[in-house]
Amino acid sequence: MTPITTPPDDSTVRLNGTSSSSPSKSSLSSLSSGKSLKSASSNSTLLDICSFCGIKFDDAPASSPDEPSSSSGPGKPSTTAAKQPQPHLKDRVICSECTAVAYCSIYHKESDSTRHRPVCAMIKATKSGGGDATTTTATTARASSDPTVRVIPTSDPDVDIIESAATIATMNAAKASMEQRHARKRAANPHIQYKDHSKNLLFKSTLQDHMRSLAASGLALNQHQAIALRLRYLAEHVIRGLNEYGWAVCDNFLGETHCNFTYREVERLYQRGHFSAGELMDQKEDSQSQDIRSDQILWFDGSDTRVNDCVTVRLLISMIDSVIVHFKDRIPPYTISGRSRAMIACYPGSGTRYVRHVDNPVRDGRCITSIYYCNEDWKLADHGGTLRLYPETSLTPMDIDPQADRLVFFWSDRRNPHEVLPVYRHR
């Protein structure tokens, strides 16, 4: 368990790579074009000009905006425009949602989609007598044209999460199956508001998926910018999961190659004999530590010469830190100020486990635990090792499989007791 520091039973639902829902995908609403809607002249309407470039159709540049020249960026007139035939009114592309604005090409319509979305929703709301449209209304209007997706607003007005209806149906089927297999539930506490934790979807989009989405939107970002943006979307997913359910799961965090390198570096440290038996914070005098936890651990310290060659582990910790930096003032009542050292844990197999416990029972300042798995080809039926969470607001425990490249976050205090079920392969 790698906790993040701050200042001052029995039925289960399983989250794995097949039966749970597909990824929550973040919309690109934060990447607004920054352009304000151009005003038409006194004798023109918004349908007489391109809403993106503001040029009237009868004197718009004629080079195809779908193929801008190398000297002009997205939406900018080409330097060779004067030499080309001009577009006609019949070629304009009108917004099908509000029918109030037009563009000189599909390219300009797509480039302006992010900025136009709230304006479009406001126009539609005005036409229907609904008054002002909020950001939530705008994003919902955008998704209404596609019945297979659902938009979930976040506390950040620039970022929304888009979920696939098809994958939600898959998740519900998996939930029904698990409920049939596990009939017993906790006794309900009348003072707790219980939630259906199976609705807490996994973030599964890869960096490659994210870059393809950016490319399709016409945004020219390099890989470093795309990584930073993806980490922000991932952080939004985690913040939502923590605030609503107390835990969150993200798959494909580093990518397959870096995950494999992480595994090799950890295995090398283990083979060198650098690990020792895990200890307990609140061990009772008459209990044996190995009866409660039988893992082997190593506290990762960047200044330790034994870990000098663990460059991918350093990258992993740095990327988790890059997610955490977005938590500032977003997970009340906490204010994140730092984290503890990362702890690498290995379970040697042969039924080793960690019984039900709380990571921070003594309130020492730690508030969030993050766990990253790097086990290749993990087969749950043969290898075991499930992380079983007992969230305070769930009547059924949640099983999270230790699949490779999976990152888990949950509250470290008594809201999330958890255990590692017996492990039958070196993990």
Side-chain angles (χ1 to χ4, degrees):
M1 310 291 176
T2 305
I4 304 163
T5 56
T6 70
D9 218 79
D10 311 330
S11 152
T12 61
V13 174
R14 181 175 304 284
L15 296 177
N16 53 36
T18 55
S19 62
S20 62
S21 77
S22 27
S24 308
K25 293 186 178 178
S26 304
S27 74
L28 301 178
S29 59
S30 62
L31 297 175
S32 171
S33 65
K35 296 179 181 291
S36 59
L37 187 64
K38 300 288 193 299
S39 300
S41 60
S42 58
N43 59 350
S44 301
T45 70
L46 292 179
L47 294 177
D48 293 331
I49 63 174
C50 174
S51 184
F52 183 79
C53 62
I55 300 177
K56 295 178 67 175
F57 288 108
D58 55 357
D59 59 356
S63 74
S64 172
D66 289 319
E67 299 178 355
S69 67
S70 59
S71 60
S72 61
K76 296 181 181 179
S78 168
T79 55
T80 61
K83 301 179 182 179
Q84 303 292 335
Q86 298 178 348
H88 300 286
L89 282 173
K90 65 180 181 179
D91 297 323
R92 64 186 174 182
V93 179
I94 299 176
C95 174
S96 60
E97 295 287 331
C98 65
T99 65
V101 298
Y103 301 91
C104 40
S105 71
I106 290 292
Y107 175 79
H108 277 193
K109 182 177 183 296
E110 293 177 349
S111 298
D112 194 49
S113 61
T114 301
R115 183 210 55 80
H116 175 61
R117 195 182 312 141
V119 178
C120 182
M122 188 176 300
I123 294 173
K124 290 175 62 179
T126 302
K127 287 182 178 180
S128 62
D132 295 336
T134 63
T135 302
T136 301
T137 304
T139 54
T140 304
R142 175 178 178 269
S144 64
S145 60
D146 186 352
T148 65
V149 299
R150 179 179 71 181
V151 173
I152 298 179
T154 69
S155 54
D156 187 334
D158 289 334
V159 178
D160 303 308
I161 297 174
I162 299 178
E163 295 176 348
S164 165
T167 57
I168 293 173
T170 302
M171 177 197 68
N172 290 336
K175 173 195 167 188
S177 174
M178 293 304 299
E179 288 181 346
Q180 289 177 1
R181 291 165 54 188
H182 304 275
R184 293 179 300 166
K185 293 184 177 181
R186 297 181 183 178
N189 185 331
H191 304 293
I192 295 178
Q193 181 180 355
Y194 291 99
K195 303 176 181 179
D196 183 358
H197 281 240
S198 66
K199 293 182 178 179
N200 190 7
L201 306 181
L202 283 68
F203 184 99
K204 297 177 73 72
S205 65
T206 65
L207 175 61
Q208 290 72 25
D209 293 335
H210 190 72
M211 294 188 71
R212 281 193 290 268
S213 296
L214 293 174
S217 68
L219 297 170
L221 298 180
N222 60 41
Q223 186 169 355
H224 293 290
Q225 293 171 319
I227 290 173
L229 192 58
R230 178 176 179 266
L231 290 174
R232 178 185 175 187
Y233 290 149
L234 194 150
E236 288 296 330
H237 169 81
V238 174
I239 291 169
R240 173 175 170 264
L242 287 174
N243 286 332
E244 189 168 349
Y245 299 101
W247 58 276
V249 177
C250 306
D251 284 349
N252 309 304
F253 182 64
L254 285 183
E256 183 179 357
T257 300
H258 286 91
C259 180
N260 291 342
F261 279 130
T262 303
Y263 176 84
R264 294 173 191 173
E265 291 175 2
V266 172
E267 184 66 13
R268 191 162 55 236
L269 291 173
Y270 185 81
Q271 293 174 353
R272 290 173 182 170
H274 297 324
F275 284 68
S276 58
E279 299 178 351
L280 303 176
M281 289 197 58
D282 56 348
Q283 182 175 357
K284 299 179 174 56
E285 294 182 0
D286 57 347
S287 67
Q288 294 295 322
S289 177
Q290 61 269 25
D291 295 334
I292 299 175
R293 62 181 300 182
S294 43
D295 57 336
Q296 299 285 314
I297 67 170
L298 169 66
W299 293 102
F300 190 90
D301 188 337
S303 62
D304 189 340
T305 57
R306 297 177 301 174
V307 300
N308 283 346
D309 56 348
C310 295
V311 293
T312 318
V313 175
R314 297 173 192 273
L315 171 66
L316 167 65
I317 296 172
S318 176
M319 288 189 66
I320 295 176
D321 287 345
S322 297
V323 173
I324 297 166
V325 75
H326 294 288
F327 291 3
K328 181 176 175 58
D329 300 325
R330 302 290 302 282
I331 51 170
Y334 302 113
T335 300
I336 299 295
S337 65
R339 60 165 172 80
S340 67
R341 289 180 299 167
M343 184 189 75
I344 305 176
C346 286
Y347 288 81
S350 304
T352 49
R353 62 177 303 185
Y354 198 155
V355 302
R356 182 168 169 171
H357 65 285
V358 173
D359 281 352
N360 183 16
V362 296
R363 300 181 181 179
D364 60 5
R366 294 176 296 165
C367 74
I368 301 172
T369 293
S370 66
I371 305 174
Y372 178 78
Y373 296 107
C374 56
N375 310 283
E376 301 176 90
D377 302 320
W378 193 264
K379 298 177 182 178
L380 191 69
D382 299 328
H383 305 147
T386 293
L387 171 67
R388 177 166 290 176
L389 289 179
Y390 298 87
E392 181 184 48
T393 58
S394 176
L395 287 171
T396 59
M398 304 300 299
D399 281 359
I400 301 174
D401 302 342
Q403 302 295 337
D405 210 17
R406 172 168 286 178
L407 182 64
V408 182
F409 291 86
F410 55 86
W411 298 125
S412 302
D413 56 24
R414 297 186 183 278
R415 287 173 290 181
N416 271 314
H418 55 282
E419 62 180 316
V420 178
L421 301 185
V423 182
Y424 300 103
R425 170 190 142 186
H426 177 75
R427 193 193 86 179

